[in-house]
Amino acid sequence: MRAHPLLELGEQYADLLAALDRGEALRRALALLADGSEVAWTACPDADGVLTLEQVTGDWTGVLRALQVPPNTGLTGKVFQAGRAEWVDDYFGSQEITHDFDRHMAGEKVRRVLAVPLLRDGEALGVLALGPREDGTFGDRDIDHASAVAAQAALAVSVAERARLSREIAVHEERRRMAADLHDSVGALLFAIGSGMADLAEVTKTDPELRARLERLQTQAAEATTALRDSLRTLRSSPAALALGVALRADCAAFADRTGLPAELVILDEDPPELAPSRSDVLLTAVREALLNVEKHAHAGAVTVSVQRRDPWLTIAVHDDGVGLGPGHTPGLGLTSTGEALARLGGSVRVVSDPDGGTIWRARLPC
C-alpha cells in the first residue's frame, strides 16, 4: 500500500532537517550506530582541541553528558588525535589508553569501546563512539559499520555548518539593509526635526519660556540621533569571521543589480576565515576588479564567486561562463595592480580559461 503523500512529505522534511541541523544529524548517526542496550556518543572539539561529549544516547546516569575530554585522553581523545578508528575489547584492562574516565564508564556498565573520527577532507571534526555493556570483541563488520556511519555523519555536519554560516551571513546582510533604511528614513527625519526646532528657536527669542522648551526638545532630538547612530553601528557590524562573507555577498548582489546576470557566492568551508581588515580590503578590491572585468569583457550568462580555505591558503575564485580569454591575452592595469597588492601580502592571482568555457580568476592569500 502506497504511503500517503503527506507522510512522504514529512519524511522528506525530516531528511532536510537532518541535513541542515548539526544536532539532528548527529542524533541520527547515533541511532544508526547503537541499539537500545549500548551507550553511544559524539564529541566535538573546541579551539584548544578539548572535546566535549555533544550528543549521548543510551546512557543511564547522565555523567557522560557534556563531559570534557582533554587531548589524547581516554579512547575518544586518542582517536581524535590519531585520526583513525581504534577500539578496546576490555576498557578497564587496556594498556593502550589513559583511564581518566574509568569511573564514568563503570557507572554506565560499559565493558568495551569503539571510536571512529569524523573526518571531512582530511580534517577531524569530532569523534563518534560506541560503548556496549556486554563482554565481547569488535569484528570487521562492527568497525566497517561504524566507519560508514561516521563518514555520513561528517558529511552531514559539514553541510549543516555551511548552512549555518549562510544563515548567519544572510542575517547580517539583512541587518545592514535595515541600518541603511533607518539611516535614510529615521535619521533624515530627526535631522529635519532638529533643524526645524533650531529655526523656531531663532524666531522666539522674545519668549524665554517657549525658547527654553524648544531647546529641551532640541537636546532630546540630539540624544535620539546619538542613540540611533549607536544602534546603526551595532546593526552594521559583523563578527570578524563573517565580515568577508557578508562583503562578498553584497558585491555579488551589486554585480547582479548592475548587469542583470546571476552572481552566486559559494563558501566551501564550514569554518569561515578570519582576516585582518587590511588583508580583507585587498582581497575585496581584487574580487571587485575581477567582477568588473567580467562585466566589461566576458559576455557571460552567470558568475560564481567561491571561497575556500586550505591551510595555509585562502583562495577566492571568480568563475564566469563567458567567451574565455582571447589569444595572446595580457593582463590589464587593474589585474596587474591587484596582483601586486596581493603579492605584497605573500599572495598571488592567476587568470585562466576554463576548458569547459569561460574564465577562472583565482586569488590566493596566506591565512
Side-chain angles (χ1 to χ4, degrees):
M1 182 177 179
R2 188 173 181 273
H4 192 280
L6 285 179
L7 294 178
E8 294 179 359
L9 182 62
E11 292 174 358
Q12 293 171 7
Y13 175 77
D15 291 339
L16 179 62
L17 177 63
L20 299 180
D21 182 86
R22 175 192 178 94
E24 181 63 22
L26 293 176
R27 281 189 290 272
R28 287 194 170 203
L30 292 180
L32 290 172
L33 184 66
D35 62 31
S37 66
E38 301 166 321
V39 187
W41 60 88
T42 61
C44 176
D46 64 13
D48 298 321
V50 176
L51 296 159
T52 299
L53 270 58
E54 186 176 7
Q55 300 281 347
V56 182
T57 186
D59 59 321
W60 293 341
T61 66
V63 296
L64 297 179
R65 295 180 180 269
L67 178 68
Q68 291 195 321
V69 180
N72 219 27
T73 58
L75 186 62
T76 300
K78 180 182 179 183
V79 164
F80 182 75
Q81 291 291 110
R84 62 177 181 271
E86 295 196 24
W87 58 95
V88 289
D89 291 324
D90 178 5
Y91 186 88
F92 300 101
S94 174
Q95 300 300 311
E96 303 298 321
I97 61 172
T98 70
H99 289 275
D100 301 61
F101 308 107
D102 282 7
R103 177 177 61 83
H104 304 78
M105 295 293 104
E108 290 292 340
K109 308 298 183 184
V110 169
R111 305 300 302 164
R112 50 199 176 101
V113 177
L114 164 64
V116 185
L118 300 174
L119 296 175
R120 187 66 183 164
D121 296 329
E123 180 184 1
L125 306 179
V127 175
L128 185 71
L130 174 68
R133 290 187 169 97
E134 76 284 351
D135 291 327
T137 58
F138 291 109
D140 291 342
R141 291 182 62 182
D142 299 315
I143 298 158
D144 289 345
H145 176 64
S147 298
V149 171
Q152 291 300 312
L155 173 60
V157 166
S158 178
V159 170
E161 287 300 299
R162 291 174 190 173
R164 177 192 60 79
L165 174 59
S166 295
R167 290 194 298 270
E168 291 184 2
I169 288 176
V171 166
H172 285 282
E173 285 178 336
E174 180 63 14
R175 289 173 59 177
R176 286 160 67 100
R177 185 196 65 76
M178 290 173 58
D181 288 347
L182 287 170
H183 176 271
D184 294 342
S185 58
V186 179
L189 181 59
L190 285 172
F191 178 79
I193 291 171
S195 298
M197 286 188 294
D199 292 341
L200 284 174
E202 285 297 316
V203 300
T204 57
K205 292 180 178 179
T206 58
D207 189 335
E209 183 180 351
L210 181 57
R211 181 178 176 84
R213 291 177 63 185
L214 284 171
E215 288 176 349
R216 285 196 298 272
L217 289 173
Q218 280 183 279
T219 300
Q220 291 170 352
E223 291 172 350
T225 300
T226 300
L228 176 64
R229 189 180 298 117
D230 292 342
S231 297
L232 295 182
R233 188 180 298 112
T234 301
L235 280 172
R236 289 193 188 100
S237 66
S238 301
L242 294 178
L244 181 63
V246 170
L248 287 172
R249 196 177 293 273
D251 287 339
C252 288
F255 175 89
D257 289 342
R258 290 196 312 268
T259 65
L261 302 177
E264 181 181 5
L265 175 66
V266 179
I267 297 179
L268 299 173
D269 300 282
E270 58 272 11
D271 188 17
E274 187 169 338
L275 298 177
S278 58
R279 300 172 76 81
S280 292
D281 289 345
V282 170
L283 271 176
L284 290 170
T285 300
V287 171
R288 288 162 189 162
E289 179 65 28
L291 289 171
L292 186 60
N293 282 337
V294 173
E295 183 178 348
K296 289 180 175 178
H297 309 298
H299 304 290
V303 177
T304 300
V305 178
S306 61
V307 182
Q308 184 173 36
R309 185 177 67 179
R310 288 290 179 271
D311 288 338
W313 296 102
L314 172 66
T315 301
I316 299 182
V318 178
H319 189 177
D320 68 70
D321 61 354
V323 297
L325 300 177
H329 168 78
T330 55
L333 179 61
L335 180 61
T336 301
S337 298
T338 56
E340 291 172 350
L342 286 165
R344 286 193 289 271
L345 298 175
S348 63
V349 64
R350 187 182 179 205
V351 183
V352 297
S353 287
D354 185 347
D356 296 326
T359 304
I360 303 174
W361 174 97
R362 183 176 287 110
R364 296 205 314 166
L365 190 66
C367 62

